[in-house]
Amino acid sequence: MSITTRFAPSPTGYLHLGHAAAGLIGFEHARAAGGRFLLRIEDIDTARCRACYTEAILADLAWLGLVWDGAPRIQSAHVAAYRAALDQLAAMGLLYPCFCSRAEIAAALGAPHGAGAVYPGTCRHLDPAFAADRMARGDAYALRLRTDAAIRQTGPVRYHEAGEGWISGDAAACGDIVLARKDAPCSYHLCVTHDDALQGVTLVTRGADLRDATPIQVVLQRLFGWPTPGYAHHALLTDAAGRRLAKRDRAATLRDLREGGVTPDQVRKIISCRIGNITSLS
Ligand code: GLU
């Protein structure tokens, strides 16, 4: 089977070594197998994404020697397609409006920030007439997945993880994920799943920080009848103090490395030293 990989950065900052690792792994695997390597710009979150970062991503990848097949897919140009997918889930009775603010969610959880926590389900059982009334009044709302009902339809999650084989995943642990945001017409989980299917991606290479998102994305694939690609989650790169690299760490951006005289070959070597051979998945 011919393979199709992809690199799907969000243009919220300059690419750093961690992104370069994800991109290189996808690129090298496609190249070794004579397959396709696609580039997708995940810029649905217009409040955080900037066109200047998209341009910088294209330039940094070209500098690194990554060549992608076809034109990059720019998610913000395809909102109508994501809305159509949402409508399908709504027709299946699997979505509900959520009016909660971040502060309300944090208070319900008894946690100061609520970041990374599972939604406590406050709006899941709202009276439909009351919810419709609030929507008609123009109150801002997100659309959440009825994850328990979705899992009842799809059954237990299994997917193939490189180096591990077929593994089970706990989609319920993600809770009722947001599929359309208050401030954006759709969300990461929906768009990433939609586009991996549409673009025929057969192998998703990305950082281990997204591993927990995989089971719920498999649930979405099954709800829509889309194929489940294989996954290869790579170890996250860390700084000298063992902290995960973030876009705010200027020192690790490809831009700064390049300006500091580091070559693309040296970038590859740095990555291989930190996470192992980028051309081998196990
Ligand atoms: N756009 C996501 C990010 O930049 C990556 C999505 C994915 O690889 O599944 O973190």
Side-chain angles (χ1 to χ4, degrees):
M1 186 183 79
S2 91
I3 80 162
T4 298
T5 62
R6 48 72 161 178
F7 178 48
S10 301
T12 56
Y14 292 116
L15 294 184
H16 59 58
L17 280 171
H19 300 109
L24 277 169
I25 292 171
F27 173 68
E28 290 300 345
H29 278 84
R31 200 165 67 159
R36 292 187 311 149
F37 172 69
L38 308 177
L39 176 61
R40 187 164 75 227
I41 302 296
E42 303 208 322
D43 60 346
I44 279 299
D45 183 351
T46 46
R48 292 176 60 230
C49 295
R50 301 268 175 279
C52 63
Y53 290 131
T54 298
E55 278 164 35
I57 287 170
L58 301 185
D60 288 352
L61 294 180
W63 172 74
L64 203 52
L66 266 66
V67 183
W68 51 90
D69 289 292
R73 179 173 171 88
I74 312 289
Q75 286 193 327
S76 57
H78 300 282
V79 169
Y82 308 129
R83 291 301 311 192
L86 276 175
D87 289 346
Q88 252 180 284
L89 292 180
M92 293 160 85
L94 291 174
L95 299 184
Y96 66 88
C98 169
F99 301 92
C100 293
S101 64
R102 276 171 204 259
E104 283 165 341
I105 294 173
L109 290 166
H113 305 300
V118 170
Y119 178 63
T122 319
C123 290
R124 190 186 299 146
H125 305 294
L126 281 185
D127 172 46
F130 173 73
D133 187 50
R134 284 196 67 174
M135 288 158 85
R137 263 188 299 164
D139 286 358
Y141 61 94
L143 289 175
R144 289 186 181 272
L145 181 70
R146 292 189 187 279
T147 296
D148 53 351
I151 294 172
R152 274 199 299 278
Q153 285 196 27
T154 61
V157 165
R158 278 171 70 72
Y159 65 91
H160 193 272
E161 177 69 38
E164 294 178 35
W166 289 94
I167 58 172
S168 306
D170 182 10
C174 291
D176 290 352
I177 52 163
V178 169
L179 292 182
R181 295 165 35 148
K182 277 184 178 175
D183 59 351
C186 31
S187 78
Y188 160 66
H189 287 301
L190 181 83
C191 303
V192 82
T193 316
H194 176 280
D195 285 355
D196 283 341
L198 182 86
Q199 297 186 284
V201 172
T202 60
L203 177 67
V204 170
T205 60
R206 60 187 183 188
D209 54 330
L210 288 168
R211 191 170 167 138
D212 288 348
T214 304
I216 199 71
Q217 291 177 6
V218 173
V219 166
L220 290 175
Q221 288 153 6
R222 295 214 188 142
L223 289 174
F224 287 112
W226 295 332
T228 293
Y231 290 85
H233 292 99
H234 63 80
L236 295 182
L237 273 81
T238 52
D239 65 12
R243 281 179 312 234
R244 208 182 118 180
L245 295 178
K247 283 182 178 156
R248 61 183 173 276
D249 299 323
R250 287 294 315 265
T253 64
L254 295 183
R255 234 126 246 246
D256 272 27
L257 291 169
R258 180 173 66 185
E259 279 159 24
V262 175
T263 66
D265 241 24
Q266 287 168 326
V267 169
R268 285 169 181 258
K269 287 202 183 99
I270 297 169
I271 293 170
S272 292
C273 280
R274 302 237 200 129
I275 64 170
N277 190 346
I278 51 179
T279 55
S280 141
L281 285 180
S282 47

